[in-house]
Amino acid sequence: GVFDVRGIGLGSGLNNVDSYMAHSGFAGTRLTENPFQHAFGFTINDVWGLINDYVDNQWPHRPAITSLELGRFKRDLLVGCIQHFDGYRIGQAHHVFNPHAILSLIRELRLVKLLTDIDYSRYSFWTETGSMKVVETIKASSAQDLSRYCKYLSSSFLRQSEYRQHQGPLAEHMSLDFIDDTAVGSIGSQEQPQFPPDVDKETREELADICMVHSGDRFHDMQSLGREPLQASTIMRLLYQAGYIVPIAKDRVGIPNSEVHRALEQFYERVAAQLKISTNLLESIHEEMGIYKCDLQRFSRSLHSCMVSIPGLGEDTSE
């Protein structure tokens, strides 16, 4: 999480403190530099080094597979780590993986004989990182804004994940039989993530303002948060400070990876059930594409915009 320091002030025993949060260093934030941004987390090169060291020197099933299979195994492990445990940004120029999740996965590999034995959906490294009792007891005071925020975050994450599979260094290397240090450096050099066309600029800017501009508004009594229903903006700020939502760019926050996306889905389903609203986080996408109203014109425009964003599809395919 990115909780701010608490209890600062005269007579507190702790004052004269500068607090650098995850988004410190982004243009437009209160602190435009972050001297500690490289002191946290595992970079892609760290993760690649751990994968190689374990698979080459400690993995008990290594002798049973060929060198070609070994290269594919390492490649797919790195891609899996990127999809499920990456996405955290510390400052403007440094993005990292969840160290706890990476080390936990490495330990799990002793039980893995084949890559097909890895089921990322059964891992709960994120929720095991620490107690989330505060988040689990949250009650919402209204449904409309909370639903809009959560649906935007989920649909935006799924769009971006799909986008990354077709564009950028990661997509280029996923089709190779193996990757090397140079390829890993190429993937890691893409510090600024690529985004699909934005479909809800208003909600995007609203969430960025709530999380990054007003994140200094403090929760003075953490234990009381679950007692009274909270406004949607307060819930979003709490999820941001707990690490469910992360800074992505100077005007954008989002869900970091698939592991956290699953945890957020579980949170939303529980809250939505309390408020008696739809638990379908893809509802806004379906509505926008005209699926609910059988609007074929709107659906054709949406389908076309999806297809033209994917390189390699010619006119015949679009037709």
Side-chain angles (χ1 to χ4, degrees):
V2 287
F3 277 107
D4 204 348
V5 176
R6 300 292 180 263
I8 299 173
L10 183 64
S12 70
L14 179 67
N15 55 22
N16 297 325
V17 172
D18 279 333
S19 181
Y20 292 88
M21 300 184 70
H23 59 253
S24 298
F26 280 97
T29 57
R30 184 176 64 86
L31 296 171
T32 55
E33 295 182 1
N34 191 339
F36 306 106
Q37 64 185 13
H38 293 286
F40 302 93
F42 287 168
T43 66
I44 191 170
N45 292 306
D46 295 328
V47 173
W48 182 237
L50 286 166
I51 289 173
N52 277 278
D53 179 66
Y54 183 82
V55 173
D56 288 342
N57 303 316
Q58 301 178 56
W59 189 42
H61 308 290
R62 184 186 186 281
I65 64 174
T66 66
S67 58
L68 180 60
E69 291 172 327
L70 193 68
R72 292 172 179 168
F73 183 65
K74 292 179 181 178
R75 176 205 64 189
D76 291 346
L77 274 176
L78 182 66
V79 171
C81 288
I82 291 172
Q83 292 173 338
H84 293 271
F85 311 125
D86 192 10
Y88 302 94
R89 297 181 66 82
I90 309 294
Q92 177 126 8
H94 190 56
H95 79 274
V96 296
F97 292 72
N98 177 351
H100 172 77
I102 296 298
L103 294 178
S104 297
L105 179 68
I106 294 293
R107 286 193 293 270
E108 290 283 335
L109 288 180
R110 72 186 185 279
L111 305 174
V112 173
K113 296 181 180 180
L114 300 169
L115 187 67
T116 52
D117 294 338
I118 301 180
D119 180 8
Y120 290 96
S121 64
R122 70 180 179 87
Y123 297 135
S124 55
F125 303 140
W126 169 255
T127 53
E128 291 170 0
T129 303
S131 173
M132 292 307 299
K133 291 182 179 178
V134 172
V135 174
E136 292 167 0
T137 58
I138 284 178
K139 299 175 184 176
S141 58
S142 63
Q144 185 175 356
D145 285 338
L146 180 64
S147 177
R148 177 166 60 91
Y149 292 152
C150 288
K151 288 175 180 176
Y152 169 83
L153 288 168
S154 182
S155 61
S156 179
F157 169 75
L158 292 174
R159 286 170 184 270
Q160 186 179 341
S161 298
E162 186 70 19
Y163 194 72
R164 290 182 70 187
Q165 291 184 33
H166 299 286
Q167 301 214 0
L170 181 61
E172 294 171 7
H173 292 98
M174 283 178 67
S175 60
L176 303 178
D177 286 332
F178 68 93
I179 55 177
D180 54 19
D181 293 346
T182 302
V184 171
S186 174
I187 297 172
S189 67
Q190 187 177 311
E191 292 286 355
Q192 199 65 257
Q194 301 294 314
F195 303 110
D198 201 350
V199 297
D200 191 349
K201 181 180 178 182
E202 181 181 349
T203 300
R204 170 174 62 81
E205 293 178 345
E206 199 174 324
L207 278 169
D209 184 71
I210 290 170
C211 295
M212 299 173 68
V213 177
H214 296 289
S215 59
D217 300 345
R218 302 182 179 179
F219 304 108
H220 294 284
D221 182 5
M222 295 297 294
Q223 300 304 317
S224 66
L225 284 175
R227 297 173 189 166
E228 298 294 332
L230 302 177
Q231 293 183 350
S233 59
T234 303
I235 293 175
M236 289 298 107
R237 192 153 42 85
L238 178 60
L239 291 174
Y240 177 74
Q241 294 200 352
Y244 281 86
I245 305 170
V246 298
I248 297 178
K250 66 179 182 179
D251 58 350
R252 188 185 297 256
V253 296
I255 300 170
N257 53 53
S258 297
E259 186 187 30
V260 177
H261 183 243
R262 289 195 299 272
L264 186 63
E265 280 185 316
Q266 294 170 2
F267 160 76
Y268 179 74
E269 286 175 3
R270 183 183 56 76
V271 174
Q274 291 176 352
L275 297 172
K276 295 180 174 56
I277 59 177
S278 171
T279 59
N280 180 12
L281 283 170
L282 296 181
E283 191 173 46
S284 58
I285 290 182
H286 295 160
E287 184 174 352
E288 172 206 334
M289 294 183 71
I291 292 175
Y292 283 148
K293 296 183 178 180
C294 298
D295 187 336
L296 291 180
Q297 287 188 336
R298 181 183 292 184
F299 179 75
S300 66
R301 289 195 298 269
S302 299
L303 183 62
H304 178 71
S305 66
C306 289
M307 298 184 77
V308 297
S309 71
I310 301 176
L313 292 185
E315 292 183 6
D316 292 341
T317 309
S318 299
E319 184 91 14

